[in-house]
């Protein structure tokens, strides 16, 4: 939001009238500079200067209208600077720097809210900072407040759904995704989230209907196609899964998610029709190369492909990497595959 609604012509008249009667040209100059910066400030330094002006003004004896002006302006500027800190944190790989930037963003968002308790954008932004710092309860509380202040704020509702889903609260998450869809029936992310929730709640028919609708909304979206392919694969519809993965890769040829999913079927499918160990190995290697190397599933898939081609010693070492990276809940499955590779046996998915 570049300009604030309260910067009306009448407001400016009142502000400058009070200036001329009370404080003279110095305060008028502050207001003029602040107004200019509120229209043009784009970077951290410019926003910091605007915040400094507002803080200087808070030390002066100003009229009620002027106090309100500088208070709301500081809230806007701090929220904007907090957004810059948060965006910058997403562009760095240094964990220490990320923590510093997110802490700076959180501080600015909190001060923006202190200045303007109804600033729902700042409240929403603070929720995201809390979430990134692992403070989920505070994040959800802020999202609830942002939604209360702006019941049609789709982004806040969607982010609440995402946090609930990540916390495995699938039924409440589903309700939030559906609220977004009532506001915007063409929201692909919410439709996909709804499908995920139905799937995790074991309502597979509803899940596939939602995945199909998501693909209709975004037929050339490789991730949306991969989501449906994952569901098809898990349910044993291997033909449909392979078609979706291949279409996804025709849209985005280096998408690790689709490479990994396709490689898994080609390496482990219980139906000989779809197994192709050599091709599986090619896609699995590409997935590891293209990914960030943090997801254990990429290493697990590559190990399965290596075992399928008879490279059991390499597969044992590879699944060991997967075990190191995997969450506790997944380790027993990986240990089972490791035991198979130690016996020089390839892994096969059970028949559905």
């Amino acid at each position: 939001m570049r300009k604030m609604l309260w910067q009306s012509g009448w407001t400016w008249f009142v502000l400058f009238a009070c200036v001329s009667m009370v404080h003279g040209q110095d305060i008028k100059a502050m207001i003029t500079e602040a107004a200019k910066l509120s229209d043009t400030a784009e970077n951290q330094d410019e926003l910091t200067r605007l915040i400094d002006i507002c803080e200087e003004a808070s030390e002066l004896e100003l009229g009620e209208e002027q106090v309100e002006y500088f208070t709301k302006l500081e809230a806007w500027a701090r929220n904007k600077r907090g957004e810059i800190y948060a965006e910058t944190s997403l562009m760095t790989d240094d964990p220490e720097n990320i923590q510093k930037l997110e802490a700076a963003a959180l501080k600015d968002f909190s001060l923006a809210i202190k200045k303007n308790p109804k600033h729902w954008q700042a409240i929403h932004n603070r929720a995201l900072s809390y979430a990134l710092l692992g403070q989920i309860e505070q994040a959800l509380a802020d999202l609830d407040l942002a939604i209360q202040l702006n019941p049609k704020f789709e982004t806040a509702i969607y982010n609440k759904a995402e946090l609930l889903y990540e916390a495995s609260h699938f039924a409440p998450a589903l309700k939030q995704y559906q609220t977004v869809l009532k506001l915007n029936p063409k929201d692909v992310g919410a439709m996909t989230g709804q499908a995920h929730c139905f799937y995790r709640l074991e309502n597979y028919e509803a899940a596939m209907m939602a995945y199909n609708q998501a693909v209709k909304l975004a037929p050339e979206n490789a991730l949306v196609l991969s989501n449906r392919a994952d569901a098809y694969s898990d349910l044993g519809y291997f033909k449909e899964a392979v078609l979706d993965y291949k279409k996804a890769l025709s849209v985005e040829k280096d998408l690790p998610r689709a490479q990994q999913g396709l490689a898994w079927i080609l390496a482990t499918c219980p139906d000989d029709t779809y197994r192709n160990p050599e091709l599986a190995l090619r896609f699995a290697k590409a997935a590891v190369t293209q990914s960030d190397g943090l997801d254990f599933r990429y290493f697990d898939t590559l190990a399965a492909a290596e075992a399928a081609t008879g490279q059991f010693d390499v597969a044992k070492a590879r699944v060991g990497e997967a075990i190191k990276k995997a969450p506790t809940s997944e380790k027993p499955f990986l240990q089972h595959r490791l035991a198979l590779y130690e016996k020089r046996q390839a892994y096969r998915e059970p028949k559905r």
Side-chain angles (χ1 to χ4, degrees):
M1 186 172 65
R2 297 302 306 137
K3 293 186 179 180
M4 290 155 285
L5 296 177
W6 42 270
Q7 289 181 353
S8 64
W10 171 249
T11 301
W12 286 114
F13 173 79
V14 172
L15 283 168
F16 282 119
C18 293
V19 166
S20 61
M21 290 186 292
V22 181
H23 295 288
Q25 295 301 312
D26 290 343
I27 303 302
K28 183 176 180 179
M30 290 177 66
I31 293 175
T32 300
E33 184 180 0
K36 181 179 180 181
L37 283 169
S38 72
D39 281 337
T40 62
E42 292 286 349
N43 58 48
Q44 180 182 328
D45 290 340
E46 291 170 338
L47 289 164
T48 298
R49 173 56 188 154
L50 182 52
I51 292 167
D52 289 342
I53 292 172
C54 293
E55 290 181 331
E56 290 170 19
S58 69
E59 301 295 323
L60 304 175
E61 293 182 8
L62 303 177
E64 183 178 341
E65 295 86 357
Q66 294 169 337
V67 171
E68 181 181 4
Y69 169 72
F70 281 113
T71 299
K72 288 187 175 180
L73 184 57
E74 183 178 347
W76 174 85
R78 285 194 177 278
N79 179 61
K80 194 70 179 175
R81 189 174 69 176
E83 288 176 347
I84 291 176
Y85 288 138
E87 289 167 3
T88 304
S89 76
L90 297 175
M91 295 184 286
T92 179
D93 296 324
D94 181 1
E96 185 176 346
N97 197 25
I98 291 172
Q99 287 289 319
K100 287 180 180 178
L101 288 165
E102 284 300 331
L106 183 63
K107 181 179 179 180
D108 262 348
F109 295 142
S110 295
L111 287 170
I113 296 164
K114 184 177 181 180
K115 291 290 181 179
N116 182 4
K118 294 185 178 181
H119 197 321
W120 46 268
Q121 297 101 323
I123 294 168
H124 168 262
N125 288 336
R126 186 173 69 176
L128 299 186
S129 286
Y130 277 139
L132 288 169
L133 292 169
Q135 301 176 46
I136 304 304
E137 289 186 11
Q138 295 93 323
L140 288 170
D142 267 357
L143 288 171
D144 283 337
L145 180 55
I147 295 167
Q148 180 183 336
L149 291 169
N150 184 355
K152 294 185 178 181
F153 189 13
E154 293 177 32
T155 303
I157 301 168
Y158 178 83
N159 284 328
K160 180 180 178 181
E162 293 280 278
L163 283 181
L164 288 169
Y165 183 86
E166 289 299 321
S168 298
H169 300 314
F170 304 121
L174 176 61
K175 183 177 179 181
Q176 297 303 313
Y177 286 126
Q178 290 176 333
T179 299
V180 175
L181 289 169
K182 287 179 182 177
L183 295 169
N184 180 8
K186 295 184 178 181
D187 190 307
V188 178
M191 185 65 71
T192 300
Q194 177 181 236
H196 290 336
C197 288
F198 278 133
Y199 195 93
R200 297 300 292 268
L201 292 167
E202 299 183 2
N203 187 344
Y204 301 121
E205 182 178 356
M208 293 313 305
M209 289 177 63
Y211 283 126
N212 289 339
Q213 187 60 33
V215 171
K216 286 182 181 179
L217 290 171
E220 298 301 316
N221 187 310
L223 282 174
V224 171
L225 287 162
S226 296
N227 286 328
R228 187 173 69 174
D230 289 346
Y232 276 140
S233 180
D234 286 345
L235 293 173
Y237 297 105
F238 300 112
K239 178 180 178 180
E240 292 81 356
V242 168
L243 289 173
D244 269 354
Y245 284 132
K246 286 183 175 180
K247 184 172 181 181
L249 290 170
S250 73
V251 174
E252 190 174 339
K253 67 182 181 68
D254 292 325
L255 181 65
R257 171 87 170 280
Q259 292 169 332
Q260 179 268 328
L262 182 56
W264 184 257
I265 293 175
L266 296 172
T268 70
C269 186
D271 187 337
D272 294 346
T273 305
Y274 301 103
R275 263 201 327 278
N276 186 330
E278 288 73 21
L279 191 57
L281 187 60
R282 193 185 95 190
F283 279 117
K285 285 182 177 179
V288 170
T289 300
Q290 297 295 335
S291 70
D292 56 15
L294 297 177
D295 193 320
F296 76 94
R297 286 168 290 195
Y298 292 98
F299 294 96
D300 184 25
T301 300
L302 181 53
E306 288 165 340
T309 56
Q311 301 176 60
F312 294 105
D313 291 335
V314 178
K316 286 190 293 183
R318 193 82 63 188
V319 81
E321 294 180 60
I323 291 170
K324 291 177 183 177
K325 297 174 183 294
T328 302
S329 60
E330 296 293 333
K331 291 184 187 295
F333 302 103
L334 297 169
Q335 293 287 357
H336 168 68
R337 287 195 269 281
L338 175 59
L340 286 175
Y341 304 153
E342 288 175 341
K343 296 176 184 177
R344 308 191 73 76
Q345 296 177 14
Y347 173 74
R348 295 284 181 270
E349 281 278 4
K351 290 186 177 181
R352 308 297 198 271

